[in-house]
Amino acid sequence: CGNELELREAVSALSRRTNAYLMGAAEPVLSVVVVRGLDVNLPPVLGDCGAVVASPEMEFMRRVLGKFAEGCENKVPLYGCSAFEYIQ
């Protein structure tokens, strides 16, 4: 996403997909939203995020990002959005 409108559309699409999954109308998927050079203030995620933290998708992300950063001399965050940290 390169601007706030694209980000809003992406989050809206993810919300629709999540609702469809919760209703049993969609298969689980792993989605990644890349935000480029955008200063965005999003509200924190409220509620119990335990299911997200324990999900196979988050375990996959931890393994992939850990492998990506393995051996780096200088750690550079792959993501800068603080909203990502709310779900770890």
Side-chain angles (χ1 to χ4, degrees), residues 25-74:
E27 294 296 317
V29 296
L30 174 66
S31 301
V32 177
V33 176
V34 177
V35 179
R36 297 178 307 272
L38 185 62
D39 185 20
V40 177
N41 291 318
L42 296 174
V45 176
L46 302 176
D48 181 11
C49 296
V52 174
V53 172
S55 73
E57 292 84 3
M58 282 302 289
E59 176 56 30
F60 171 78
M61 288 292 287
R62 285 190 287 272
R63 281 196 327 269
V64 169
L65 294 176
K67 190 69 173 172
F68 177 81
E70 196 174 86
C72 291
E73 291 182 20
N74 297 307

